[in-house]
Each structure stands twice: as structure tokens, then as C-alpha cells.
Amino acid sequence: FNGELVGFYNDYSNLLGSDLAATGGTGSLDQFNAGEVEVKGIEVLLNSNLIAKYSTSFKIPFQFSYTYTHTKFENSFSSGAGIWGTVTEGDELPYIPGHQFFAGVGMENSRFSVNINGRDRGAFRTMAGIGELPDNERIASK
């Protein structure tokens, strides 16, 4: 069994965004200012061979990870870029899910391996905002 616990903190004084068609822009790739943003969180990663104690030729590897991310704009501004629009200090950054999970289990020996993996990404917003996610600004959990 082994594991990792990682904390992260990023404090951007001048985050740049790009005008991408994928985010509702024109696709010009022009950069624009997104102001001051704080991104912080924690990640947990666990790995184990579930039967290491009982077998040296056969393995059942198990992996699990969870990431929590919290974002917030640290200033208010208005932007002509559709991805930002009108931002109020404290709003969350769009397109970043707060919760992400991964789990996998397998069976392995010297001749074969079979693995089953699953992941879940929490819902996230498509426009800066805070509180409940409105249906028209929500990308559902997957």
C-alpha cells in the first residue's frame, strides 16, 4: 500500500484567457485579461496490490484518487469575452470542476492483465458565478 496527499495553491495576479470557439468565443485565439484568481485544493492518491501478502505471481492492483479544487476571482471586472462576462469578486472560475474521482482495479500475472477503471468529474459552471449552478450555465457530472 502506498499513498500521496498533495495540497496546491496558485495565486494569479493576471490570469490570461484565450478567445476559443470551444468556450463560446470567435476562435481568434486573442488573449484577454481575466484578473486576479486564486486556485487551491487537495489531491489524495492511493495504490495497493490487494493480495500482495498472499501471492507473488498474481496481483490485484487497486488505485483511487480524489481531487478537490476551489477557485475564486479576487477582483470584480467586466470583460467583452463571453467566457468571463461580468465578474464579481468571489465568483468561481468557469470550466473547473470542484470534485474529481478515479478508481481502478485489475488482475495481473506474467501472461495477462485485465483492468477496470472508472472516473467521475463533478458538475461545473460555464460562466463565472457563485452558489447553485443554473441549468443554462452547467456542464453535468460525468
Side-chain angles (χ1 to χ4, degrees):
F1 172 84
N2 64 50
E4 296 177 22
L5 178 64
V6 177
F8 56 92
Y9 177 80
N10 297 284
D11 190 5
Y12 299 97
S13 61
N14 185 20
L15 183 69
L16 292 177
S18 291
D19 183 9
L20 303 173
T23 58
T26 64
S28 70
L29 303 180
D30 291 340
Q31 291 191 330
F32 50 87
N33 185 356
E36 299 175 46
V37 178
E38 179 183 86
V39 179
K40 61 186 174 182
I42 190 165
E43 184 166 89
V44 177
L45 173 63
L46 304 172
N47 292 299
S48 179
N49 174 2
L50 298 177
I51 62 168
K53 183 175 175 179
Y54 306 105
S55 174
T56 56
S57 62
F58 190 71
K59 296 179 185 177
I60 298 182
F62 171 76
Q63 297 178 331
F64 171 82
S65 68
Y66 168 73
T67 304
Y68 168 75
T69 306
H70 176 73
T71 65
K72 75 174 179 179
F73 282 96
E74 295 182 310
N75 63 322
S76 299
F77 64 94
S78 248
S79 171
I83 188 173
W84 309 127
T86 301
V87 173
T88 303
E89 182 178 347
D91 282 354
E92 295 175 359
L93 192 65
Y95 294 100
I96 297 182
H99 304 278
Q100 297 180 75
F101 296 92
F102 171 83
V105 66
M107 294 189 315
E108 299 177 358
N109 75 8
S110 60
R111 296 176 5 154
F112 74 91
S113 69
V114 176
N115 295 285
I116 297 173
N117 299 314
R119 66 180 175 89
D120 180 58
R121 175 208 18 91
F124 57 88
R125 62 182 67 252
T126 60
M127 297 291 291
I130 194 163
E132 289 296 317
L133 291 168
D135 286 342
N136 64 336
E137 296 177 5
R138 174 189 190 93
I139 302 293
S141 175
K142 268 195 169 195

